[in-house]
Amino acid sequence: MNRKFAIITDSSCDFPEEYYKEHDVGCVNLGFMMDGVTYGGEDGETIAIKDFYNKLRNGAMPTTFQVSPEQAKLHIEPHLKAGEDVLIVAFSSGLSGTANSFMVAARELTESYPERKVLVVDSLCASLGEGLLLYYVIRKADEGATIEETKDYAEDLKWHICHYFTVDNLFHLKRGGRVSATAAVIGTVLKIKPVLHVDDEGHLIPIGKVIGRKKSISALVDYMKELEMLRDDDPIFISHGDCQEDVDYLTKLLRERFGAQREIYSHYVGSVIGTHSGVGTLALFFRGRHR
């Protein structure tokens, strides 16, 4: 590793904690409240991810909160005191105020440490889409790129990080205002499964609908076939709302199309994003020609 600066991100990347430790990346936790208990943030409780999804299945309705500027400073300032510059990869500003909190913290801290650099990339990405961008940023930094070179690289690459996903239940999209109550009821009765993506402004946008779960999963691969711009060493990422069988089916389709040796990484949609996407979310992330 030939890294010349520190890297910080937030928990909306949806990597396990071990990933951040292994790659020497700081992670600032978003949080949520559920059944009167605060989870995440700086000092909230912890909950196993399967327990979280079981609570959702049983009717829990959590609410989320973003990273605050003061919380961000707690993670950034030790690096500045140690003489390190900091590059931050932040959750999409189209979905959270977290990126803005990082920018406020960066501005205030660089006034106190004028000899140091704190640069923020608004990823315009979510879940393992943000994680995929972070994956490439780590790789670039470890090749010895400067902080400015790595930021420029990330700012260009983020327009090529494609997010395509489907959900098994429309309730959480209705709750978040993504579909109407009428559409949610009709869609549930007719087993309509929407396909959505994250657009250039970092927003969740419905782009299609199919009838049946397996057809919706196949549709994710069809979109990828149209857009992918994979090199031999580019991975494919999958995140899911506690639906491993669907991950296995999607992985099978991807290996049939993109080769058995392609790196395919999967992990849970974390609790904060899972609050808004719900049980059964299945998301596909890859490098493409455009979003």
Side-chain angles (χ1 to χ4, degrees):
M1 185 172 76
N2 191 27
R3 194 181 303 173
K4 299 176 179 177
F5 51 90
I7 299 174
I8 292 175
T9 191
D10 56 69
S11 58
S12 294
C13 282
D14 286 348
F15 280 127
E17 186 176 343
E18 294 76 19
Y19 186 92
Y20 306 111
K21 292 179 179 177
E22 178 184 352
H23 295 281
D24 193 24
V25 172
C27 181
V28 188
N29 290 323
L30 285 80
F32 63 100
M33 291 192 66
M34 182 170 60
D35 299 331
V37 179
T38 298
Y39 296 91
E42 282 305 300
D43 51 13
E45 301 292 326
T46 59
I47 183 172
I49 192 65
K50 286 191 72 69
D51 291 341
F52 169 79
Y53 278 108
N54 284 335
K55 283 182 176 288
L56 285 191
R57 288 187 177 96
N58 291 326
M61 296 180 65
T63 57
T64 60
F65 55 89
Q66 66 192 44
V67 169
S68 69
E70 290 306 315
Q71 184 186 1
K73 287 181 187 179
L74 291 175
H75 291 259
I76 300 168
E77 189 167 18
H79 293 286
L80 305 183
K81 287 182 176 179
E84 294 180 295
D85 296 328
V86 179
L87 179 65
I88 298 163
V89 178
F91 185 23
S92 171
S93 62
L95 297 170
S96 169
T98 290
N100 184 64
S101 291
F102 276 123
M103 291 175 186
V104 170
R107 186 166 58 248
E108 293 179 358
L109 284 171
T110 49
E111 290 176 0
S112 301
Y113 299 86
E115 73 285 2
R116 299 268 59 90
K117 299 169 186 171
V118 183
L119 305 182
V120 181
V121 176
D122 176 2
S123 71
L124 300 176
C125 297
S127 189
L128 280 178
E130 184 183 356
L132 183 57
L133 181 63
L134 177 67
Y135 166 92
Y136 286 117
V137 164
I138 290 169
R139 195 161 73 178
K140 184 74 171 177
D142 288 351
E143 290 171 354
T146 66
I147 189 170
E148 293 89 355
E149 289 169 339
T150 307
K151 182 179 189 297
D152 289 346
Y153 170 79
E155 293 288 359
D156 176 69
L157 182 61
K158 71 185 185 184
W159 307 114
H160 301 276
I161 301 297
C162 299
H163 306 53
Y164 285 86
F165 70 101
T166 187
V167 298
D168 197 36
N169 186 309
L170 292 167
F171 169 76
H172 288 276
L173 291 181
K174 177 189 76 67
R175 186 179 164 215
R178 301 297 171 187
V179 298
S180 69
T182 301
V185 171
I186 294 173
T188 299
V189 170
L190 297 179
K191 297 184 179 179
I192 293 174
K193 310 298 182 185
V195 177
L196 306 94
H197 85 132
V198 175
D199 69 7
D200 283 350
E201 295 179 346
H203 299 134
L204 304 183
I205 304 295
I207 55 171
K209 55 188 176 183
V210 296
I211 296 177
R213 179 65 163 176
K214 286 206 169 181
K215 287 185 179 178
S216 72
I217 296 173
S218 296
L220 298 180
V221 180
D222 290 340
Y223 279 109
M224 182 172 175
K225 287 177 183 177
E226 292 296 318
L227 282 176
E228 62 89 5
M229 194 175 65
L230 297 176
R231 302 170 306 188
D232 289 343
D233 60 348
D234 284 330
I236 301 168
F237 282 9
I238 301 168
S239 63
H240 67 97
D242 199 25
C243 52
Q244 186 60 49
E245 287 187 7
D246 294 327
V247 174
D248 295 341
Y249 180 65
L250 175 57
T251 300
K252 173 179 173 292
L253 296 181
L254 291 170
R255 293 215 179 280
E256 289 172 355
R257 176 62 181 83
F258 299 105
Q261 302 308 312
R262 173 76 57 183
E263 179 187 353
I264 299 177
Y265 174 84
S266 65
H267 196 253
Y268 283 93
V269 175
S271 302
V272 170
I273 294 177
T275 291
H276 303 284
S277 59
V279 177
T281 297
L282 188 64
L284 177 62
F285 310 96
F286 57 93
R287 183 203 287 263
R289 295 194 304 277
H290 56 80
R291 289 198 175 198

